[in-house]
Amino acid sequence: MCRWFVYRGAPLRTSELLLHPVHSIVAQSLNSPLGAEPVNGDGFGFGWYPVDGDGPPGLFHSIEPAWHDRNLRSLAEAVVSPLFFCHVRAAAGPPIQQTNCHPFRNDGWLFMHNGGIADFDRVKRDLVLAVDPDLYPLMLGTTDSEVLFHLALTLGLRDDPVGAIARAIAFVERVGHEHDVRFPFQGSIATTDGDSVWAFRYSSQGRSRSLFHSTDISDLRTMYPDESRLSLFSDDARVIVSEPINDLPGAFLEVPEASVAILDAAGYRHAAFAPAGS
Amino acid sequence: MCRWFVYRGAPLRTSELLLHPVHSIVAQSLNSPLGAEPVNGDGFGFGWYPVDGDGPPGLFHSIEPAWHDRNLRSLAEAVVSPLFFCHVRAAAGPPIQQTNCHPFRNDGWLFMHNGGIADFDRVKRDLVLAVDPDLYPLMLGTTDSEVLFHLALTLGLRDDPVGAIARAIAFVERVGHEHDVRFPFQGSIATTDGDSVWAFRYSSQGRSRSLFHSTDISDLRTMYPDESRLSLFSDDARVIVSEPINDLPGAFLEVPEASVAILDAAGYRHAAFAPAGS
Amino acid sequence: MCRWFVYRGAPLRTSELLLHPVHSIVAQSLNSPLGAEPVNGDGFGFGWYPVDGDGPPGLFHSIEPAWHDRNLRSLAEAVVSPLFFCHVRAAAGPPIQQTNCHPFRNDGWLFMHNGGIADFDRVKRDLVLAVDPDLYPLMLGTTDSEVLFHLALTLGLRDDPVGAIARAIAFVERVGHEHDVRFPFQGSIATTDGDSVWAFRYSSQGRSRSLFHSTDISDLRTMYPDESRLSLFSDDARVIVSEPINDLPGAFLEVPEASVAILDAAGYRHAAFAPAGS
Amino acid sequence: MCRWFVYRGAPLRTSELLLHPVHSIVAQSLNSPLGAEPVNGDGFGFGWYPVDGDGPPGLFHSIEPAWHDRNLRSLAEAVVSPLFFCHVRAAAGPPIQQTNCHPFRNDGWLFMHNGGIADFDRVKRDLVLAVDPDLYPLMLGTTDSEVLFHLALTLGLRDDPVGAIARAIAFVERVGHEHDVRFPFQGSIATTDGDSVWAFRYSSQGRSRSLFHSTDISDLRTMYPDESRLSLFSDDARVIVSEPINDLPGAFLEVPEASVAILDAAGYRHAAFAPAGS
């Protein structure tokens, strides 16, 4: 339904990845070949952590398409960041409003999602009731994704991100099944505390939205010694993205179905993931 | 917190009342002397019933201030209507988004509100839980007013508007008191089924927002025989508004505290109003 | 670059043509198979003449994509009109702002355009200088189309629409050639005084954007006796549109290259068109 | 017509000045006691230079009022900058669009203006004709201020800022007088190359908009030893602003009528200014 992008590595001018690649997330807003819909023009969001690690992540949401947005271009050229998220939306259900734009934020955490909770109108009330009453007033939009984020926060995201997302999706599946929804959850999720990134690929049906991670930069430099743009990136630079942002063979590898990918100081790794424990 | 305007009478070019009066609702968006805040620049809404009575009311919501809005000017000049609502918002709590703009609509009904539910963040969850689950997914914004409308719909607005609003406010007061809110409700409300208009002025504290109704046009013509603009209006033309839209002495009379004003085929009348029956 | 739509006939609820057809102009905003670009998401505009012929045409411009716009849906369902224009934009050059949305208006005239003036940045100044100084301050946006409209107004649009457009395009071609632009003009244009509609299909290269007109309703009823939707339309109902809005074979016929199509009380006709006389 | 704000000093979290002061520029958007109009709700702009001095200034423009804007709040909290501009607009003439929001940018230069060119519709064409044809296509909005900036660029802003502004205003006055405009120019202007800031206060009538500069921080610390917020600022921190952002007596001093104020590595100074040399 949407496309999203994560970068983690040495501080980088964000335009290098958000604007310049041939299939950048901004380009994908107008044309995403691997997306459930080719057009992701229902608003966008950009969240970034500052270089010095001080203060909250910046957040810019807009209800206009990303492809011609002048503010996004200017921001991407002005901002240097070691960790940033970007999301372009294809709304399954309107409305188009800033409070429905990803990434969502809670203190220093960001969260974004591509996919959906099936038959959301039927299950929404039951899901919302399970959100911690203290978190309840913080939900400002109408998306399934924002509810999922607040369910995960309720179920321990800050202390145990993988477990909390497993419990949140298990709860979504249980409520869905109670309402005779066959495949309640679909999607890829990214969340971060500003240091580590957790990216999930899972769907009740076992046919999840596409998800890719970038190859080791040092391997890419060996493969493409003449590719001068590779010198822009630090050795630990990593990207996780709904679909590849360039056409270099081997530059992006698929994150397997039903898995969680982790980016942290130790690099990239992934492991099997399944809903559990709700 | 806001200002609103209601017209009922013979079909009228809406710009005659929305744009041209010296203190029109559009002028009040920038400067409303009697408002709790002088500036009502946090979006606006315009709802109108068509001349032939066929089809749903038109609805236009915008997140921009009304005072310079080109679409509103064009619409107001193009639309002729026998019954229309307009609302300019001063947001007590953001966000500024179309789904937070009044009037709200449910089928052929419109609803708008100036004022607020005190400590809404603390009582919101309890109020929302009382909304009919079938109506629950229709709430798309974050305002207290939209919740109040859906409470009133739940409590019988379509069959008994005065009783349903009385029950809805009584419920708001009860929930508020349970949360130690001293004065849970404040405001003036307008609602219509496209034929009759019900306007309420009430607050828990007994110090409600201002509300006025227009004097009989025939009386005004007698009082102001040289006022050529009065010839624009039919004998049964009536306005209810948060504050007078012109400076003609006697043109507007206050709707009393704790009362409901009714505009219908029989003309204007008002009666005492109090929350009850929840 | 864009897609546009014209209706002329008996007063019709505009949603019947703007929203309901399978390839309506709103659907074309997200996917227009015959367009130079498949996505026309850079704002839109809707202009309509009132039923009673009194007052200026209504005009609604938005910088959001048409496909999910709630105001457009509500307006289209509320407005009944005998003559209306709708345009969805794919911006060759930003910015995306209401003043760049078509149709443009001058008193009772509307004008819209799909296509472009080649190398506009190089020729813009010379074109603007040729606009009547009294009309000059009325140009509020940055599009080639708005300049073309004001050139046509300068060159007599109100008295001789076909001649004025011929002169305006001839002037654009002359200025373009002076700047070594090989094919200065491309596009289809619609303009109206609220009674007759003139639609032009022309390009310097002789390869113009697609343009279609609807078949006689009476012929369509004979061809498709079971098509109940055809009963919505009056015998004189006509549409001119960038591409067909449904898949009924024979329902839409191409307007020939280098021609002007006219809709008026006499029905539909077209004639050869070429720039001339500047 | 507007209010603006300039900071130059050690890198500072921009929210400290844009959001936190009691009369911050964001607060002034809703209520500016010294403004020609108390409400400056017709969009805003924020431009900032990065800490490392590398890359273009960031620029964020919005058509919504500043007072509730969530993007501005987030940006102001995330951005640390040694030199930033902010402007809130009260439009004398619409439209409200991003291309009419200050500050305007040309490469590494920013420019903003409070005030206006009188009878702009009558003189606009003559002024625009004097803009360098290479700069002509860069003007994207409809404001007098953007034209003034491009006149100044045409007349040598990059090499001689004070002289170029003097020539530009002299030209505006000459053209105005040719059109029988009595007092052609009014306003305060700020411009910067990212290092020095030039701020002008001048009007043809000799009754210019208010303009203030901050007192030396070291003097303020002596005056207010208990004011803990003063420790946030470097010794060379300086502000120039349309009106004081706090109520500390002595914290802001008026920039004299008909003068240019300069902020650079040498600190603050001002000198007499008059249009000349056009």
Side-chain angles (χ1 to χ4, degrees):
Chain A
M1 314 272 185
C2 307
R3 301 278 89 181
W4 56 249
F5 173 94
V6 169
Y7 169 83
R8 186 186 186 283
L12 182 74
R13 190 165 302 277
T14 59
S15 57
E16 295 294 354
L17 288 174
L18 297 183
L19 303 182
H20 299 169
V22 60
H23 304 303
S24 74
I25 187 83
V26 170
Q28 288 175 26
S29 70
L30 190 57
N31 185 12
S32 62
L34 303 190
E37 295 88 10
V39 182
N40 298 274
D42 298 322
F44 66 87
F46 171 38
W48 69 95
Y49 291 84
V51 170
D52 54 14
D54 185 26
L59 202 53
F60 175 57
H61 287 155
S62 171
I63 58 173
E64 297 177 46
W67 59 76
H68 276 324
D69 194 82
R70 297 161 69 90
N71 283 320
L72 179 58
R73 283 178 187 274
S74 180
L75 258 179
E77 283 168 6
V79 169
V80 172
S81 169
L83 174 51
F84 53 98
F85 277 28
C86 192
H87 183 279
V88 294
R89 185 175 178 225
I96 314 305
Q97 53 192 21
Q98 287 186 16
T99 53
N100 284 350
C101 294
H102 310 223
F104 301 99
R105 178 170 64 181
N106 185 279
D107 291 339
W109 285 73
L110 294 178
F111 177 98
M112 59 185 174
H113 174 214
N114 164 32
I117 294 175
D119 286 299
F120 184 56
D121 270 2
R122 286 162 58 199
V123 300
K124 179 179 180 181
R125 192 170 178 275
D126 287 357
L127 299 180
V128 165
L129 285 186
V131 170
D132 181 337
D134 288 343
L135 296 172
Y136 178 82
L138 303 181
M139 293 187 293
L140 300 177
T142 64
T143 62
D144 47 1
S145 306
E146 189 189 25
V147 173
L148 184 65
F149 178 34
H150 287 82
L151 276 175
L153 285 165
T154 300
L155 298 170
L157 184 72
R158 288 161 182 276
D159 297 319
D160 173 16
V162 177
I165 297 290
R167 287 187 287 275
I169 296 178
F171 181 72
V172 166
E173 290 191 325
R174 180 152 63 82
V175 170
H177 292 148
E178 288 168 7
H179 286 79
D180 298 320
V181 179
R182 191 168 172 202
F183 299 121
F185 182 77
Q186 162 65 265
S188 62
I189 293 168
T191 192
T192 180
D193 59 1
D195 184 7
S196 301
V197 174
W198 297 267
F200 302 83
R201 185 179 183 208
Y202 174 79
S203 60
S204 308
Q205 193 178 6
R207 299 175 58 181
S208 301
R209 296 282 186 266
S210 62
L211 193 64
F212 293 83
H213 68 95
S214 58
T215 301
D216 248 38
I217 285 290
S218 56
D219 292 348
L220 274 177
R221 289 203 190 98
T222 305
M223 292 161 69
Y224 296 101
D226 298 336
E227 192 71 31
S228 63
R229 265 182 60 84
L230 293 172
S231 66
L232 290 168
F233 304 109
S234 62
D235 284 353
D236 65 342
R238 298 277 186 175
V239 159
I240 301 181
V241 64
S242 297
E243 56 188 273
I245 60 175
N246 64 40
D247 296 324
L248 280 188
F252 288 89
L253 303 174
E254 203 165 8
V255 175
E257 177 74 45
S259 62
V260 52
I262 301 176
L263 283 185
D264 59 15
Y268 171 88
R269 65 192 180 281
H270 59 247
F273 171 82
S278 168
Chain B
M1 315 273 183
C2 308
R3 301 279 87 181
W4 57 249
F5 174 95
V6 169
Y7 170 83
R8 187 185 186 284
L12 181 75
R13 189 164 304 276
T14 59
S15 56
E16 295 294 355
L17 287 173
L18 297 183
L19 304 182
H20 299 168
V22 61
H23 304 302
S24 73
I25 186 84
V26 170
Q28 288 177 24
S29 70
L30 189 58
N31 185 12
S32 61
L34 302 190
E37 296 88 11
V39 181
N40 298 274
D42 299 321
F44 66 86
F46 171 38
W48 69 95
Y49 292 84
V51 170
D52 54 14
D54 185 27
L59 201 53
F60 174 56
H61 287 155
S62 171
I63 58 173
E64 297 177 47
W67 58 76
H68 276 324
D69 195 82
R70 297 161 69 90
N71 283 320
L72 178 58
R73 283 178 188 275
S74 180
L75 259 178
E77 283 169 6
V79 168
V80 172
S81 168
L83 175 49
F84 53 97
F85 276 28
C86 192
H87 184 281
V88 294
R89 186 176 178 226
I96 313 306
Q97 52 192 21
Q98 287 185 16
T99 53
N100 284 350
C101 294
H102 310 223
F104 301 99
R105 179 171 63 183
N106 185 279
D107 291 339
W109 286 72
L110 294 178
F111 177 98
M112 60 187 174
H113 174 214
N114 164 31
I117 295 176
D119 285 297
F120 184 55
D121 271 2
R122 284 162 60 199
V123 299
K124 179 178 181 183
R125 192 169 179 275
D126 286 357
L127 298 180
V128 165
L129 286 185
V131 170
D132 181 336
D134 288 342
L135 296 172
Y136 178 82
L138 303 181
M139 293 187 292
L140 300 177
T142 63
T143 61
D144 48 1
S145 306
E146 189 189 25
V147 172
L148 184 65
F149 179 34
H150 287 83
L151 276 174
L153 286 164
T154 299
L155 297 170
L157 184 72
R158 290 161 181 277
D159 297 320
D160 173 16
V162 177
I165 296 289
R167 287 186 288 274
I169 295 178
F171 181 71
V172 166
E173 291 191 325
R174 180 152 61 82
V175 170
H177 291 148
E178 288 168 7
H179 286 79
D180 297 319
V181 179
R182 190 166 173 206
F183 299 122
F185 182 78
Q186 163 63 266
S188 62
I189 294 169
T191 191
T192 180
D193 60 0
D195 184 7
S196 301
V197 174
W198 297 267
F200 302 83
R201 186 179 182 208
Y202 175 79
S203 59
S204 307
Q205 193 177 6
R207 299 174 59 179
S208 300
R209 297 280 186 266
S210 62
L211 193 64
F212 293 83
H213 68 95
S214 58
T215 300
D216 248 41
I217 285 289
S218 55
D219 292 346
L220 275 176
R221 288 202 190 100
T222 305
M223 291 160 69
Y224 297 101
D226 299 335
E227 193 71 30
S228 63
R229 265 181 61 83
L230 292 172
S231 66
L232 290 168
F233 305 109
S234 61
D235 284 351
D236 63 342
R238 297 277 186 177
V239 159
I240 300 181
V241 64
S242 298
E243 57 189 271
I245 60 175
N246 63 41
D247 296 324
L248 280 188
F252 289 88
L253 304 173
E254 202 165 9
V255 175
E257 177 75 45
S259 62
V260 52
I262 301 177
L263 285 186
D264 59 16
Y268 171 88
R269 64 190 179 281
H270 59 246
F273 171 82
S278 168
Chain C
M1 317 274 185
C2 308
R3 302 279 86 180
W4 57 249
F5 173 95
V6 169
Y7 169 83
R8 186 186 186 285
L12 181 75
R13 189 164 304 275
T14 59
S15 57
E16 295 295 354
L17 287 173
L18 297 184
L19 303 181
H20 300 168
V22 60
H23 304 301
S24 73
I25 187 83
V26 170
Q28 288 176 26
S29 71
L30 190 57
N31 185 12
S32 62
L34 302 191
E37 295 87 13
V39 182
N40 298 274
D42 297 322
F44 66 86
F46 171 38
W48 69 95
Y49 291 84
V51 171
D52 53 13
D54 184 27
L59 202 53
F60 175 56
H61 286 156
S62 170
I63 58 174
E64 298 177 46
W67 58 76
H68 277 324
D69 194 83
R70 297 160 69 90
N71 283 320
L72 179 58
R73 282 179 189 274
S74 179
L75 259 179
E77 283 168 6
V79 169
V80 172
S81 169
L83 174 50
F84 53 98
F85 276 28
C86 192
H87 183 279
V88 294
R89 184 174 178 226
I96 313 305
Q97 53 192 21
Q98 287 186 17
T99 53
N100 284 350
C101 294
H102 311 222
F104 301 99
R105 179 172 62 182
N106 186 280
D107 291 340
W109 286 73
L110 294 178
F111 177 97
M112 58 186 175
H113 174 215
N114 163 32
I117 294 175
D119 286 298
F120 184 55
D121 271 2
R122 285 163 58 198
V123 300
K124 180 179 180 182
R125 192 169 179 276
D126 286 357
L127 299 180
V128 165
L129 286 186
V131 170
D132 181 335
D134 287 342
L135 296 172
Y136 178 82
L138 304 180
M139 294 187 292
L140 300 177
T142 63
T143 62
D144 48 1
S145 305
E146 189 190 26
V147 173
L148 183 65
F149 179 34
H150 288 83
L151 276 175
L153 285 164
T154 299
L155 298 171
L157 184 71
R158 288 160 181 276
D159 297 319
D160 172 17
V162 177
I165 296 289
R167 288 187 287 274
I169 296 178
F171 181 71
V172 166
E173 291 192 324
R174 180 152 62 81
V175 170
H177 292 146
E178 288 168 7
H179 286 79
D180 297 319
V181 179
R182 190 166 172 206
F183 299 122
F185 183 78
Q186 162 65 267
S188 63
I189 293 169
T191 191
T192 180
D193 59 0
D195 183 8
S196 301
V197 174
W198 297 268
F200 302 83
R201 186 180 182 207
Y202 174 78
S203 59
S204 308
Q205 192 178 6
R207 300 174 58 179
S208 300
R209 297 279 186 267
S210 61
L211 193 64
F212 292 83
H213 68 95
S214 58
T215 301
D216 248 40
I217 286 289
S218 56
D219 292 347
L220 275 176
R221 289 202 189 99
T222 305
M223 291 161 69
Y224 298 101
D226 298 336
E227 193 71 32
S228 62
R229 264 182 60 84
L230 293 173
S231 65
L232 290 168
F233 304 109
S234 61
D235 284 352
D236 64 342
R238 297 277 187 176
V239 158
I240 301 180
V241 64
S242 298
E243 57 189 272
I245 59 175
N246 62 42
D247 295 324
L248 280 188
F252 288 90
L253 303 173
E254 202 165 8
V255 175
E257 176 74 45
S259 61
V260 51
I262 300 176
L263 284 185
D264 60 16
Y268 171 89
R269 63 191 181 281
H270 58 246
F273 171 82
S278 168
Chain D
M1 317 269 183
C2 309
R3 301 278 87 180
W4 57 248
F5 174 94
V6 169
Y7 170 83
R8 186 185 186 284
L12 181 75
R13 189 164 304 276
T14 59
S15 57
E16 295 294 356
L17 287 174
L18 298 183
L19 304 182
H20 299 168
V22 60
H23 304 302
S24 73
I25 186 84
V26 170
Q28 288 176 25
S29 70
L30 190 57
N31 185 12
S32 61
L34 302 191
E37 295 87 11
V39 181
N40 297 275
D42 298 322
F44 66 86
F46 172 38
W48 69 95
Y49 291 83
V51 171
D52 55 14
D54 185 27
L59 201 53
F60 174 57
H61 287 155
S62 170
I63 58 174
E64 298 177 45
W67 59 75
H68 277 324
D69 194 83
R70 297 160 68 90
N71 283 320
L72 179 58
R73 282 177 189 275
S74 181
L75 259 179
E77 282 168 6
V79 168
V80 172
S81 167
L83 175 50
F84 52 97
F85 277 28
C86 192
H87 184 281
V88 294
R89 185 175 178 227
I96 314 305
Q97 53 192 21
Q98 287 184 16
T99 53
N100 284 350
C101 294
H102 309 222
F104 301 100
R105 179 171 63 183
N106 186 279
D107 291 340
W109 286 72
L110 294 178
F111 177 98
M112 59 187 175
H113 174 214
N114 164 32
I117 295 175
D119 286 299
F120 184 55
D121 272 3
R122 285 162 58 198
V123 300
K124 180 179 180 183
R125 192 170 178 275
D126 286 356
L127 299 180
V128 165
L129 285 185
V131 170
D132 181 338
D134 288 343
L135 295 172
Y136 177 82
L138 303 180
M139 293 188 291
L140 300 177
T142 63
T143 61
D144 48 1
S145 306
E146 188 188 26
V147 172
L148 184 66
F149 179 34
H150 287 83
L151 277 175
L153 286 164
T154 299
L155 297 170
L157 184 72
R158 289 160 181 278
D159 296 320
D160 173 17
V162 177
I165 296 289
R167 287 186 288 274
I169 296 178
F171 181 72
V172 166
E173 291 191 325
R174 179 152 61 84
V175 170
H177 292 149
E178 288 167 7
H179 286 78
D180 296 320
V181 179
R182 190 167 172 204
F183 300 122
F185 182 77
Q186 163 62 267
S188 63
I189 293 169
T191 191
T192 180
D193 59 0
D195 184 8
S196 301
V197 174
W198 296 268
F200 302 83
R201 186 179 183 208
Y202 174 80
S203 59
S204 308
Q205 193 178 4
R207 299 175 59 181
S208 300
R209 297 280 186 265
S210 62
L211 192 64
F212 293 83
H213 69 95
S214 58
T215 300
D216 248 40
I217 286 290
S218 55
D219 293 346
L220 275 177
R221 289 203 190 99
T222 305
M223 292 159 68
Y224 297 100
D226 298 334
E227 192 71 31
S228 62
R229 265 182 61 83
L230 293 172
S231 65
L232 289 168
F233 305 110
S234 61
D235 284 352
D236 64 342
R238 298 278 186 175
V239 159
I240 300 180
V241 64
S242 299
E243 57 189 273
I245 60 175
N246 62 42
D247 296 324
L248 280 187
F252 289 89
L253 303 174
E254 202 165 7
V255 175
E257 176 74 46
S259 62
V260 53
I262 301 177
L263 284 185
D264 59 16
Y268 171 88
R269 64 190 179 281
H270 59 246
F273 171 81
S278 169

